[in-house]
Amino acid sequence: SVDTISVREEVGVSVKTIQKWDRLGVLPAKRTITHRRYYTDEDLAAALRLPRVQKDRRIVAYCRVSS
């Protein structure tokens, strides 16, 4: 997750613009317990229409045999 300042630096817009996007529903923010805005990478990519990056996944199997 990233905060408003990090979004501002990554996107290149002002904090006020990000707050406006939150109010308009363009980039809805999640809130911490202290009501600070934060965003997930997925939310940011969806709002900016960036291609989704697939996370590396591993399949792990565990098998136990008792005799």
Side-chain angles (χ1 to χ4, degrees):
S1 64
V2 292
D3 62 354
T4 305
I5 301 299
S6 299
V7 173
R8 177 193 67 151
E9 292 170 353
E10 188 172 333
V11 178
V13 297
S14 70
V15 172
K16 291 290 184 186
T17 300
I18 297 167
Q19 292 170 349
K20 183 177 180 180
W21 288 350
D22 181 25
R23 284 193 307 276
L24 295 174
V26 175
L27 180 60
K30 293 177 176 51
R31 301 288 181 138
T32 64
I33 295 172
T34 58
H35 300 286
R36 291 184 178 261
R37 290 176 174 91
Y38 75 93
Y39 307 89
T40 63
D41 293 331
E42 291 81 18
D43 293 338
L44 189 56
L48 299 176
R49 297 186 180 107
L50 299 174
R52 286 189 167 188
V53 176
Q54 295 216 354
K55 295 181 180 179
D56 292 335
R57 292 184 158 201
R58 292 184 182 183
I59 298 174
V60 178
Y62 174 75
C63 189
R64 180 177 179 198
V65 179
S66 57
S67 51

